[in-house]
Amino acid sequence: MRGVTEPLALYIHWPFCAAKCPYCDFNSHVRERVDEARFRAALRRELATEAARVGRRPLASIFFGGGTPSLMAPETVAALIEDARAFFAPAPDLEITLEANPTSVEAAKLRAFRAAGVNRASLGVQSLDETALRFLGRRHDAAQAVAALEAAREIFPRLSFDLIYARPGQEEASWRAELRRALALAADHLSLYQLTIEPGTQFATLHARGAFTLPEGEAAARLYAATAEEAGRFGLRAYEVSNYARPGAESRHNLAYWRYGDYLGIGPGAHQRLLLDGRMLATRRHRAPEEWAARVERDGDGTVEEEVLTPAERAREALLMGLRLAEGVDPARIEARSGLPFAAAVDGAALAALVAEGFLVWRAGRLCATQEGMLRLDAILPLLLR
Ligand SMILES: C[S@@+](CC[C@H](N)C(=O)[O-])C[C@H]1O[C@@H](n2cnc3c(N)ncnc32)[C@H](O)[C@@H]1O
Ligand code: SF4
């Protein structure tokens, strides 16, 4: 079966942060002290458990995400990379990304992460504007961010960074200027996210109280269009809703998610999708770090849920992810990964209407979202899916 020979992507979650940012609902926790040896052993054990189950498959990418993986000891990163290389058949150009926060402490560790095998850094810059950095509750200033970026560019063959825009009161002209300064820092990849208010965050409380408002509707759409235009001038193309890259510099790891490939997810709260013996298994780990570790120590993994997805669920997920990509989705790929004919996966009348209204378009046999469509994926998908 096609899915079985596909290369794997491996995600490893480090759930700790130095402080909780007011906008963030990722599975991240602040601890006075982290028992690194314990978490290293638990991550290695869970990886070994999954490797025994899937066998020696080709491995295309590893991604250390968080939380703040740049708080990990480089030895932990090195041990996990070594294990993955031994358990699987690594591609010659294995992509190994680590998310790093640009504080000076973490910047000082970049060289050690490179020595551990990391070949792509993704820096959480968030903004180059001091007021915005304070608003976002970040622990670095703009000068530290630029210094970390410059250091990372010397150390890593590939470099990406994140910015958050569509912030309260942000004008198009000032965002264009900030983005141009960012683009001049010469990363080959950028993740540019519009600020969203996530339930349960400090920003959710403040926003509900009316402490600030966000650009919405037309204003947000203008900022989005300006973003693509500025990135395009520097040769970076929006290959996904929020991700921009020079041709060839796309994140292979994230492409595996969006193309609905197989991926392993190790660590607290990590998700995994795996086609095994023709069944698509959706697996989720316990979110609480200490409880996850205790389960791994007891059972070999920290899984709290594993379900077999139905063909309709598989088709839904594949479309949900695939339409985020500029390249769109290939109906044959949806069929291969879901086991469901494309015509059965989508509502034909809704599809025709969405194409007629200019939200979706067929390009060389692939179904793609237009720029208008990209902005409204959340509204479009429920209409399209049966
Ligand atoms: C796992 S997080 C961050 C990794 C790293 N700990 C950091 O803070 O730099 C990945 C990215 O998601 C983005 N992000 C998180 N919450 C967001 C929100 N509510 N709105 C927009 N972007 C968000 C940020 O740009 C962040 O860098
Ligand atoms: S944005 Fe990054 S540093 Fe801030 S809480 Fe979320 S994961 Fe931690």
Side-chain angles (χ1 to χ4, degrees):
M1 177 171 289
R2 195 172 152 189
V4 173
T5 50
E6 275 191 21
L8 281 175
L10 167 63
Y11 176 80
I12 300 176
H13 191 76
W14 187 255
F16 303 112
C17 290
K20 186 79 186 173
C21 303
Y23 54 85
C24 177
D25 79 337
F26 281 79
N27 188 31
S28 63
H29 306 263
V30 179
R31 297 281 183 271
E32 215 155 275
R33 212 191 132 262
V34 172
D35 185 348
E36 173 120 7
R38 180 183 190 202
F39 282 91
R40 177 190 312 158
L43 287 169
R44 294 183 73 180
R45 173 117 187 254
E46 191 169 64
L47 177 58
T49 302
E50 286 298 348
R53 177 152 85 140
V54 300
R56 204 177 146 72
R57 292 198 20 193
L59 178 69
S61 62
I62 306 177
F63 192 104
F64 291 92
T68 306
S70 50
L71 294 174
M72 293 168 96
E75 301 76 60
T76 303
V77 173
L80 286 160
I81 293 174
E82 250 171 63
D83 288 353
R85 284 186 169 280
F87 290 141
F88 306 111
D93 56 352
L94 179 65
E95 175 187 277
I96 309 180
T97 306
L98 181 127
E99 283 181 344
N101 285 24
T103 66
S104 48
V105 181
E106 287 154 291
K109 291 163 76 180
L110 294 178
R111 217 169 273 286
F113 289 128
R114 176 73 187 111
V118 174
N119 54 26
R120 183 172 178 273
S122 173
L123 262 59
V125 170
Q126 317 309 359
S127 175
L128 294 174
D129 178 275
E130 301 298 354
T131 313
L133 284 171
R134 277 196 299 277
F135 170 71
L136 294 170
R138 299 297 289 184
R139 295 163 67 86
H140 62 266
D141 59 23
Q144 279 172 330
V146 172
L149 281 170
E150 282 171 350
R153 209 172 48 206
E154 295 301 312
I155 295 169
F156 295 96
R158 296 174 63 195
L159 176 64
S160 177
F161 62 93
D162 297 353
L163 294 177
I164 296 181
Y165 71 104
R167 304 182 301 248
Q170 193 174 30
E171 301 283 343
E172 187 184 320
S174 64
W175 166 235
R176 280 185 188 266
E178 182 181 351
L179 181 54
R180 268 187 225 137
R181 269 191 291 144
L183 287 159
L185 293 163
D188 55 22
H189 186 286
L190 290 180
S191 301
L192 305 171
Y193 301 109
Q194 298 208 351
L195 178 59
T196 55
I197 302 301
E198 304 297 336
T201 60
Q202 208 181 317
F203 271 7
T205 312
L206 290 170
H207 189 253
R209 262 196 233 142
F212 62 81
T213 56
L214 297 182
E216 279 173 14
E218 269 306 299
R222 268 202 310 278
L223 288 169
Y224 186 68
T227 304
E229 201 182 293
E230 294 296 339
R233 280 201 197 131
F234 276 78
L236 270 67
R237 191 181 69 98
Y239 69 102
E240 191 265 352
V241 178
S242 309
N243 284 275
Y244 300 76
R246 284 189 202 291
E250 296 84 3
S251 158
R252 269 173 253 154
H253 184 83
N254 287 334
L255 277 176
Y257 299 151
W258 295 315
R259 289 176 177 160
Y260 207 46
D262 279 0
Y263 56 91
L264 297 181
I266 302 298
H271 290 253
Q272 174 170 298
R273 290 287 179 283
L274 206 55
L275 195 54
L276 266 186
D277 306 323
R279 300 187 317 160
M280 178 69 81
L281 300 176
T283 308
R284 202 165 47 80
R285 319 285 183 199
H286 202 292
R287 284 173 67 87
E290 292 75 16
E291 177 59 27
W292 166 83
R295 284 174 188 235
V296 176
E297 286 154 2
R298 193 187 63 205
D299 305 330
D301 63 65
T303 303
V304 278
E305 192 181 22
E306 183 160 271
E307 55 171 330
V308 180
L309 298 182
T310 64
E313 286 168 335
R314 288 153 65 172
R316 153 185 281 270
E317 287 195 337
L319 272 163
L320 234 121
M321 299 304 275
L323 283 176
R324 301 181 61 87
L325 289 170
E327 69 181 23
V329 295
D330 176 357
R333 167 87 183 156
I334 304 281
E335 291 180 3
R337 293 294 287 176
S338 69
L340 196 70
F342 188 70
V346 298
D347 180 329
L351 172 57
L354 288 164
V355 170
E357 289 158 20
F359 296 117
L360 296 176
V361 59
W362 286 99
R363 285 192 198 112
R366 303 178 68 96
L367 183 64
C368 308
T370 60
Q371 199 178 48
E372 286 293 297
M374 286 278 181
L375 280 169
R376 295 175 181 79
L377 275 184
D378 291 348
I380 288 173
L381 287 161
L383 302 174
L384 182 63
L385 294 160
R386 271 193 197 278

